[in-house]
Amino acid sequence: MDCNWPYVGATGSTGPQGSTGAGTTGATGVQGLTGSTGPSGGPTGSTGSTGSTGATGFTGATGVTGNNGATGLTGATGLGATGAGTTGATGATGATGVQGATGLTGQSSTFYNYKSDTTIVSGVPAINTLYWNNATQTVSTIVTLSHIDALGNDLDVFFPFFKTNDKFVIQDQGNSANFQTWRITATPTVVLNSYISIPVTLVTSGGTSQFGNNQQLIFAIVTSGLTGATGATGIGATGATGATGIGATGATGVAGGQGATGVQGIQGIQGIQGATGSPGGATGAGTDAIFFLNGQTVNTSYTIPVSRNAGSFGPVTVASGVTVTVPPGGVWTVV
């Protein structure tokens, strides 16, 4: 027996279709009766039971976690009591140690060959020559050398080492008794691939110290020796700190002047004078209130207020140049 679940029953046959109503094309015929629905097929088969779910496989065991490496031991902190005691008094300052001796003056082991040029005292020297900036050589303040000596050596690389207070000697090649010794007084001017101009002052000279033109010369630089090391500082306690000086407090500074007064505001325009009030009540002897008083001459121009009337007892005189203005609709009655 095949077990194809769920099982579905066979579908029933369709009922016969109702006949179509007959009629002419004009009016739509009466719709025929709908045929009855055929019986449904057999009962639906019951749903087969769901098969059981297979068992879940076992999960593999978790591997054992490796042990952590042991932590290195921390070195113990050394213990020690803090020494207690009062601070000692400040001692006197020790004397300064003696300064070391100055080193001996070094001597140059190298010299250069040049020819003298006595035809110029300024400008760019010819190759393998040197010149002085004064015709009297021993009073010169600048000695200028070409960067190429008489043997064709290019001395550019050595010129930057010439420094203030170095000395150099210019000597006759054939007679060491004829020489000039100079001291460098300021930083030389070096024009690379051309020449060096050296500010100088004469230290000493000997023999025939005024060299002729194109004379064969020796130029030797003599650098200053190194200064000896400074002696050790003497040992001694530092002296006590002096007392704080006493002094009077400085005088109080002068007070600043008073600021300028602000500009006074402009006075407002005076308002228009109000109308003269009504005359006082009547006066008379005893308790009588019979007499109203007014002047006889109008000495000041006057305008009767709008919507008001005025009255006076005459005769009344209006002074020369004085006007009495009665507004439209107003009345001034003189009785």
Side-chain angles (χ1 to χ4, degrees):
M1 175 180 180
D2 292 332
C3 295
N4 292 324
W5 299 101
Y7 174 77
V8 179
T11 303
S13 57
T14 303
Q17 181 176 354
S19 57
T20 302
T24 62
T25 303
T28 300
V30 178
Q31 183 174 351
L33 298 174
T34 301
S36 60
T37 303
S40 299
T44 301
S46 59
T47 302
S49 59
T50 302
S52 58
T53 302
T56 303
F58 293 105
T59 301
T62 302
V64 178
T65 302
N67 295 326
N68 291 330
T71 303
L73 297 176
T74 302
T77 303
L79 299 177
T82 302
T86 58
T87 303
T90 305
T93 303
T96 303
V98 180
Q99 181 173 346
T102 302
L104 298 176
T105 302
Q107 297 292 328
S108 172
S109 60
T110 304
F111 63 86
Y112 309 102
N113 296 305
Y114 277 90
K115 291 191 302 182
S116 60
D117 185 350
T118 60
T119 65
I120 61 173
V121 293
S122 64
V124 178
I127 289 176
N128 69 42
T129 68
L130 63 80
Y131 70 82
W132 299 259
N133 73 332
N134 195 299
T136 303
Q137 296 167 10
T138 54
V139 298
S140 298
T141 57
I142 294 177
V143 174
T144 303
L145 292 76
S146 169
H147 74 114
I148 303 294
D149 71 0
L151 299 179
N153 299 309
D154 188 341
L155 307 181
D156 258 346
V157 69
F158 299 107
F159 287 163
F161 294 105
F162 293 4
K163 62 183 183 299
T164 303
N165 291 326
D166 281 353
K167 295 178 183 178
F168 62 86
V169 176
I170 300 175
Q171 178 197 305
D172 182 351
Q173 264 188 36
N175 187 350
S176 62
N178 302 325
F179 67 92
Q180 301 168 355
T181 301
W182 302 88
R183 182 175 64 84
I184 300 176
T185 58
T187 302
T189 299
V190 178
V191 179
L192 294 179
N193 295 316
S194 186
Y195 64 89
I196 179 172
S197 288
I198 310 172
V200 294
T201 185
L202 184 69
V203 176
T204 186
S205 63
T208 304
S209 56
Q210 184 76 13
F211 300 115
N213 190 45
N214 285 327
Q215 188 165 344
Q216 300 291 329
L217 303 174
I218 291 174
F219 178 90
I221 188 75
V222 181
T223 58
S224 301
L226 299 176
T227 302
T230 303
T233 302
I235 301 173
T238 304
T241 304
T244 303
I246 300 173
T249 302
T252 303
V254 179
Q258 181 176 351
T261 304
V263 180
Q264 182 175 355
I266 300 172
Q267 182 175 352
I269 300 172
Q270 183 175 353
I272 300 172
Q273 181 176 351
T276 303
S278 302
T283 62
T287 58
D288 296 336
I290 301 298
F291 304 100
F292 293 90
L293 306 177
N294 60 257
Q296 296 177 335
T297 304
V298 180
N299 295 308
T300 303
S301 295
Y302 182 73
T303 298
I304 296 172
V306 177
S307 301
R308 301 291 294 276
N309 294 328
S312 302
F313 292 100
V316 173
T317 302
V318 178
S320 177
V322 173
T323 59
V324 175
T325 303
V326 179
V331 175
W332 177 29
T333 302
V334 178
V335 180

